[in-house]
């Protein structure tokens, strides 16, 4: 699943993973877990993430590769969220998955102006990663409805960091869209609007590609 930060990839991938009963592999979630556990890799990742930078390819590719060889993904398939982000990552992914290539690449398309507003108002549970916003807060103060964790504004959701990430996305991820289009794998889905309507559009797109 490709798309700008704030396009709703996390929310939609969670819903799709339930609908199709396949694992949702989020590199963002895997990284945040490593940061929280304070592993050596987590501390390294934290430096890049706080600065709004992308992680070096060798680090992130290693993490993804370890995950893709597990039984659940090999047997059931998977939804990959947050990776690849660059052309060289896409090429590495094609090598890693040569035995079981990707079926489809979805570009969840939401205009930059819309994601800027969404990201600036986003609030996230530090424990389970559930998404809230200033407009749709948790029911009781800034305490997560699902797990009771603290709901905060992520350090990398400041306006400056958001603008940097979107600029990096335009420069590095946009060429991926063309690369996948040339390989006949790409489907663009309109990600603007009501969450349920976007989920329905995604399911239709994926079903039509599977037929
Ligand atoms: Zn939570």
């Amino acid at each position: 699943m490709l798309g700008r930060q704030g396009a709703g990839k996390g929310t939609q991938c969670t819903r799709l993973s339930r609908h199709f009963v396949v694992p949702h592999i989020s590199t963002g979630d895997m990284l945040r877990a490593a940061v929280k556990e304070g592993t050596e890799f987590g501390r390294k990742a934290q430096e890049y993430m706080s600065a709004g930078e992308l992680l070096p390819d060798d680090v992130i590719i290693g993490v993804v590769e370890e995950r893709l060889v597990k039984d659940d993904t090999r047997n059931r398939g998977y939804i990959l969220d947050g990776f690849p982000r660059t052309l060289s990552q896409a090429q590495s992914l094609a090598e890693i998955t040569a035995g079981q290539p990707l079926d489809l690449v979805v570009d969840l398309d939401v205009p930059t102006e819309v994601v800027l507003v969404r990201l600036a108002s986003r609030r996230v549970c530090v424990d389970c990663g559930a998404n809230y916003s200033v407009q749709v807060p948790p029911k009781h103060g800034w305490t997560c409805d699902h797990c009771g964790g603290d709901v905060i504004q992520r350090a990398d959701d400041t306006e400056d960091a958001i603008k940097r990430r979107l600029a990096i996305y335009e420069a590095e991820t946009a060429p991926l869209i063309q690369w996948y289009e040339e390989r006949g794998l790409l489907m663009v889905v309109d990600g603007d609007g009501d969450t349920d309507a976007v989920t329905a559009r995604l399911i239709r797109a994926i079903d039509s590609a599977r037929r």
Side-chain angles (χ1 to χ4, degrees), residues 124-130 132 143-151:
V124 180
C125 172
V126 290
D127 289 329
C128 73
Y132 300 91
T143 302
C144 180
D145 294 341
H146 306 290
C147 75
D150 288 339
V151 174

Side-chain angles (χ1 to χ4, degrees), residues 66-195:
E66 271 175 15
R67 182 64 186 86
L68 293 188
V69 298
K70 291 193 175 160
D71 284 346
D72 59 344
T73 59
R74 293 178 74 91
N75 298 332
R76 299 209 46 84
Y78 52 89
I79 301 168
L80 196 50
D81 165 17
F83 182 90
R85 290 193 177 178
T86 65
L87 202 48
S88 74
Q89 288 179 358
Q91 286 157 346
S92 299
L93 181 62
E95 285 167 24
I96 294 169
T97 58
Q100 281 181 305
L102 300 184
D103 293 317
L104 178 68
V105 175
V106 175
D107 176 22
L108 187 60
D109 188 35
V110 178
T112 305
E113 316 83 76
V114 176
V115 298
L116 257 178
V117 173
R118 280 191 196 171
L119 287 171
S121 68
R122 177 165 73 173
R123 300 294 182 269
V124 180
C125 172
V126 290
D127 289 329
C128 73
N131 275 298
Y132 300 91
S133 68
V134 174
Q135 293 77 23
V136 187
K139 292 188 184 73
H140 307 288
W142 290 101
T143 302
C144 180
D145 294 341
H146 306 290
C147 75
D150 288 339
V151 174
I152 58 148
Q153 181 169 37
R154 269 165 45 183
D156 56 350
D157 273 352
T158 62
E159 194 174 338
D160 278 355
I162 291 165
K163 285 188 171 158
R164 281 168 65 99
R165 290 211 305 276
L166 289 174
I168 291 171
Y169 180 85
E170 294 305 329
E172 297 203 321
T173 311
L176 286 183
I177 292 171
Q178 194 189 338
W179 196 75
Y180 282 123
E181 188 161 30
E182 286 163 10
R183 279 151 187 80
L185 287 171
L186 186 77
M187 190 170 276
V188 180
V189 174
D190 179 7
D192 199 2
D194 178 72
T195 308

